[in-house]
Amino acid sequence: MTNQKVEQPGVFPTGPTNDAFAQYFIGQSYNQTLVTPGDDVSVPVGNVTFEPGCRNNWHIHHNGSQILLVTGGQGWYQEEGKPAQLLNPGDVVIAHDGVKHWHGATRDSWFSHLAITTGESEWLEPVADDVYNQLEK
C-alpha cells in the first residue's frame, strides 16, 4: 500500500474527520479548514484527505467552480462521460460550473488535495463500487 499512514500525506495538516460531509463519502475523509470565508475573503480553502479507497459522491458545483491542488498521495478525478484521471502531487484540476464529477483516493494510497470552492454544491449518487473497482493505476 502506498502512503499507508494518515500522518500527513500532503504538506498541510490532515485535520479532523470530515463528519459534516460524511454522508457524501464512501470511506473516511478528513478536512482541515485553511481559509474561512469572512468579511475580507469569500472563498473557502480546505485540505481534504482521503483514506485509501475513499471517494466522494458525484456532485456538481452551481454558480461557481472548484479547483483541486493535489498535495499528497494518489487519487482519481472523473467527470461524467469521461475516463478517470490519475492524480499525483502537483496536479491541478478545475471542476467547472455545472460539471458532474467525483474525486477520491486510489484503492492503495492516501490522497490529499486543497479544495478551493465557490458556488453551491449539489451532492448526488455515490460512485458505484463496480465503477470504482475497475479503475487501475
Side-chain angles (χ1 to χ4, degrees):
M1 182 176 300
T2 308
N3 299 317
Q4 292 183 30
K5 297 183 180 182
V6 71
E7 284 136 13
Q8 280 190 240
V11 297
F12 294 97
T14 299
T17 55
N18 192 9
D19 297 336
F21 290 90
Q23 64 186 333
Y24 306 119
F25 284 73
I26 294 174
Q28 184 63 61
S29 67
Y30 303 82
N31 188 0
Q32 177 65 50
T33 300
L34 301 175
V35 177
T36 302
D39 293 334
D40 59 342
V41 67
S42 61
V43 180
V45 179
N47 180 48
V48 182
T49 300
F50 302 75
E51 287 184 344
C54 178
R55 69 254 189 205
N56 56 29
N57 288 6
W58 289 96
H59 57 287
I60 300 170
H61 301 285
H62 297 286
N63 302 311
S65 58
Q66 185 174 57
I67 300 170
L68 305 177
L69 306 173
V70 180
T71 59
Q74 285 191 316
W76 295 106
Y77 171 83
Q78 185 174 20
E79 294 180 356
E80 185 176 45
K82 295 183 179 180
Q85 301 172 40
L86 181 64
L87 300 177
N88 291 291
D91 287 342
V92 176
V93 173
I94 300 172
H96 292 281
D97 187 9
V99 175
K100 185 176 177 180
H101 67 283
W102 69 271
H103 33 104
T106 62
R107 286 190 298 270
D108 63 354
S109 178
W110 287 84
F111 176 61
S112 288
H113 63 57
L114 297 183
I116 304 165
T117 309
T118 61
E120 300 293 322
S121 298
E122 176 186 5
W123 291 99
L124 303 166
E125 73 276 6
V127 176
D129 287 341
D130 61 333
V131 171
Y132 179 80
N133 290 333
Q134 289 178 13
L135 299 175
E136 295 182 21
K137 292 197 309 185

